Amino acid sequence: MLHKTLSLVVLLTLALSACAAGGTSTPDENPATLPVSTSEANLTSPAAPTSSAAPTAKANSSGCTDSAAFVSDVTVPDNTNLDTSETFVKTWRVKNTGTCAWTDKYTLVFTSGEQMGAPDSKPLSATQPGKTLDISVNMTAPAKDAAYRGDYELRNPSGEAMPIDNGTSLWIIITVGTATTASGGPGSASATCAFTVSSTNTSAVVDAINAYRADNGLPALTVNPILTTAAQAHSNDMACNSLFVHTGSDGSTPQSRATAAGYSGTVTENVYGRNPPPSGQEVVVWWATDQTDPRHSQNLLATKYTEVGVGYSFFGDFGYYAVVFGTP
């Protein structure tokens, strides 16, 4: 887990006109030079989703500020492989970067994912500003072979999540037994990788997209399970091969992946990857406000497309999103 490095990669969507029915798409080598179709989208002063910028330290009721920084995984680093039902202790080392002294009124709180037998919350030990703290939690690996992730927040006495570097989460990621794997594909650096998926992230993307469309007077997109399969396959491929483009490691395109999954229709795609991983809301804000390639926002607001599928994969401290928009 690495909360210290922010690596933002600008990702490109395909031109809407490139996705001809029954055809394949050509990757955008230099999309800024390609014509952009605006006839399919309401691009007149669109209302952007509420921004989810990186949190900053805030003054609490005592007048001091609360914030933290991730230092290291003392035990069980990301993607550690464990036996089924194995008991273990997860320890995060964090630094108090605010001006408030932490007391036992400050807590580590489980927020989402796989809880792995951990308590709902745990009080922190006294920690002065500028000092580090090791937070240890007793856990048990699940009984089923797979990859698992659990997310936690540090909360102040008022119950507010404290900023941790560029987000608000600490997490644990493990693989159990024969972990979920994905083929790296031709030319990949490694044959397999253990990635983590999150229905919370994908649902948040769908909700944010449809909220954005509603703000601009457009109907909601319907989630299509076939498009979801195609999107998840590409996000897995990106995670396992460090890809940030629409062309898959096997040379596939958004259209060919959707067709292979069984979808009969025209598609286009948005992709994104970043460390630290953005939330579903944050990635939609990025697409909606991207000034480099307006087709990100065009795809979100297009009236041509009526269905959507979203994939999300986490691996190697990066979160990878793929959204496939389709019309039958």
Side-chain angles (χ1 to χ4, degrees):
M1 175 169 51
L2 180 61
H3 290 262
K4 297 179 289 185
T5 302
L6 175 63
S7 175
L8 179 66
V9 181
V10 177
L11 302 175
L12 311 174
T13 56
L14 298 173
L16 297 178
S17 59
C19 297
T24 58
S25 305
T26 302
D28 297 348
E29 297 298 336
N30 186 9
T33 65
L34 297 178
V36 177
S37 171
T38 59
S39 61
E40 298 168 336
N42 174 11
L43 299 178
T44 304
S45 302
T50 303
S51 176
S52 301
T56 57
K58 296 181 180 180
N60 68 16
S61 58
S62 300
C64 53
T65 58
D66 291 313
S67 64
F70 170 77
V71 178
S72 65
D73 290 310
V74 179
T75 65
V76 194
D78 284 355
N79 299 309
T80 296
N81 184 259
L82 300 171
D83 293 332
T84 56
S85 303
E86 180 179 347
T87 59
F88 62 98
V89 177
K90 170 64 183 182
T91 302
W92 296 276
R93 180 167 294 161
V94 297
K95 182 177 182 179
N96 183 347
T97 58
T99 59
C100 298
W102 296 346
T103 67
D104 60 4
K105 300 300 183 183
Y106 287 74
T107 54
L108 173 76
V109 178
F110 171 76
T111 57
S112 64
E114 180 63 41
Q115 196 161 356
M116 306 182 213
D120 292 336
S121 66
K122 175 177 179 167
L124 304 186
S125 299
T127 309
Q128 293 296 315
K131 300 298 183 180
T132 60
L133 172 67
D134 286 359
I135 306 172
S136 298
V137 180
N138 294 323
M139 297 184 178
T140 303
K144 181 179 179 180
D145 290 3
Y148 297 92
R149 170 172 173 159
D151 289 281
Y152 294 79
E153 291 179 343
L154 299 179
R155 295 186 180 175
N156 65 19
S158 298
E160 300 171 323
M162 291 192 289
I164 305 174
D165 297 321
N166 295 295
T168 58
S169 292
L170 294 172
W171 60 70
I172 175 172
I173 295 173
I174 63 170
T175 60
V176 175
T178 304
T180 302
T181 61
S183 295
S188 63
S190 59
T192 61
C193 76
F195 57 86
T196 304
V197 300
S198 170
S199 59
T200 300
N201 289 63
T202 56
S203 295
V205 170
V206 174
D207 291 343
I209 289 175
N210 283 334
Y212 184 33
R213 291 174 64 86
D215 288 342
N216 288 278
L218 296 172
L221 299 176
T222 301
V223 175
N224 182 293
I226 297 176
L227 293 181
T228 300
T229 297
Q232 188 62 57
H234 190 49
S235 65
N236 295 347
D237 189 26
M238 290 193 296
C240 291
N241 292 283
S242 298
L243 300 177
F244 302 96
V245 293
H246 300 284
T247 303
S249 63
D250 59 356
S252 63
T253 67
Q255 190 68 57
S256 68
R257 288 189 292 271
T259 301
Y263 190 76
S264 297
T266 302
V267 304
T268 191
E269 181 183 72
N270 281 10
V271 299
Y272 188 79
R274 194 186 78 182
N275 172 8
S279 67
Q281 169 73 17
E282 288 171 334
V283 74
V284 174
V285 169
W286 191 90
W287 284 323
T289 57
D290 179 26
Q291 299 299 310
T292 303
D293 189 343
R295 283 167 295 183
H296 283 128
S297 182
Q298 287 180 19
N299 286 344
L300 299 177
L301 297 178
T303 57
K304 174 180 180 179
Y305 302 105
T306 59
E307 300 179 325
V308 68
V310 181
Y312 172 79
S313 299
F314 176 89
F315 182 68
D317 298 317
F318 279 76
Y320 299 82
Y321 289 89
V323 179
V324 182
F325 305 88
T327 182

